[in-house]
Amino acid sequence: FLDNPVPEKIPGRASPHADTDSPDSILRNRDLMRLNLTGFIGNVILTAIFFIMPLLMKQKIEIPHMWKIYVPMALAGTGLMFYFSRKADLEGTRKTVLIALVFEFTGIATAILSQSLYPLFAAFILVYSGHCILSPVLPAAVSRYPGTGRAGTVMGIFNSFQFIGSGVGGILSGFLLNISPESLFIVLLVLISAGIYLTAGYREIR
């Protein structure tokens, strides 16, 4: 029995380990729900940014030259993903998720301040890089919570939140773009701020 010690409980708070008897009990786990909602927000941001940025950039760069935007963006995002995945293994997922959300927040703020080509390019790289950091780190954080019998259920719930976020991101982008690009960016900043709040409060399993 010494190989499977019972997690130490924090006085006044429930254990961060999920009670995995049912999907309902998983949904009631506060720490997992923080991660689920952060995954939802991350996909809202990604869909919205890929909706709005090409529309803004095509006014400043011809479509056949858009590869000059996407290639460096993909290289930067992939490099940072590998670097911060390693840091998450060594230093914990919460700190890395917060760094990723700060990347996204800075990118959106840059797009609000100026919508000329180079600021938009920098904003696109920052937001995409933030999402690339989130992509492996959030699932890694989620996978540390379930017991041996419910890993599929826990990950399925997390992925569902992400897919719903992608749909909401598209709907939100189409609606707010009818008002102004700035209105969409401001809503995204509010969502990222909520993600930072949620992440700051979750207790990770190391």
Side-chain angles (χ1 to χ4, degrees):
F1 64 92
L2 293 177
D3 293 332
N4 295 285
V6 177
E8 182 181 353
K9 291 186 177 181
I10 301 173
R13 297 185 70 179
S15 168
H17 288 265
D19 171 9
T20 55
D21 290 338
S22 68
D24 182 61
S25 65
I26 293 171
L27 287 170
R28 290 198 305 270
N29 184 280
R30 292 182 180 180
D31 296 290
L32 281 173
M33 185 53 67
R34 287 176 182 271
L35 295 173
N36 290 335
L37 290 172
T38 302
F40 168 85
I41 290 169
N43 275 42
V44 170
I45 302 301
L46 182 69
T47 303
I49 210 69
F50 270 93
F51 183 97
I52 184 65
M53 285 300 195
L55 293 177
L56 294 176
M57 286 183 164
K58 76 174 185 178
Q59 302 170 13
K60 304 166 180 30
I61 184 172
E62 295 179 358
I63 295 297
H65 296 289
M66 286 293 289
W67 67 269
K68 297 177 183 178
I69 302 293
Y70 288 111
V71 169
M73 185 176 73
L75 292 174
T78 302
L80 288 169
M81 177 179 64
F82 281 109
Y83 174 76
F84 281 103
S85 295
R86 177 61 176 163
K87 284 187 71 69
D89 289 337
L90 297 174
E91 301 177 9
T93 55
R94 178 171 56 189
K95 178 180 177 181
T96 306
V97 170
L98 287 171
I99 290 171
L101 292 171
V102 169
F103 266 74
E104 294 190 343
F105 188 96
T106 305
I108 299 297
T110 300
I112 291 175
L113 293 173
S114 175
Q115 293 181 14
S116 58
L117 180 61
Y118 289 110
L120 285 177
F121 178 45
F124 209 174
I125 288 180
L126 285 167
V127 176
Y128 181 73
S129 295
H131 188 80
C132 285
I133 297 169
L134 288 178
S135 291
V137 174
L138 273 180
V142 171
S143 68
R144 292 173 181 169
Y145 277 84
T148 57
R150 292 289 183 176
T153 302
V154 171
M155 293 305 299
I157 291 172
F158 173 73
N159 288 334
S160 296
F161 272 84
Q162 286 189 306
F163 288 132
I164 292 170
S166 297
V168 170
I171 295 169
L172 189 67
S173 300
F175 175 75
L176 291 176
L177 190 59
N178 288 323
I179 302 173
S180 70
E182 290 79 10
S183 64
L184 176 58
F185 290 139
I186 289 170
V187 170
L188 296 183
L189 279 184
V190 172
L191 288 174
I192 296 170
S193 299
I196 291 172
Y197 172 79
L198 290 167
T199 302
Y202 99 88
R203 297 164 295 163
E204 63 182 299
I205 301 297
R206 297 290 298 275

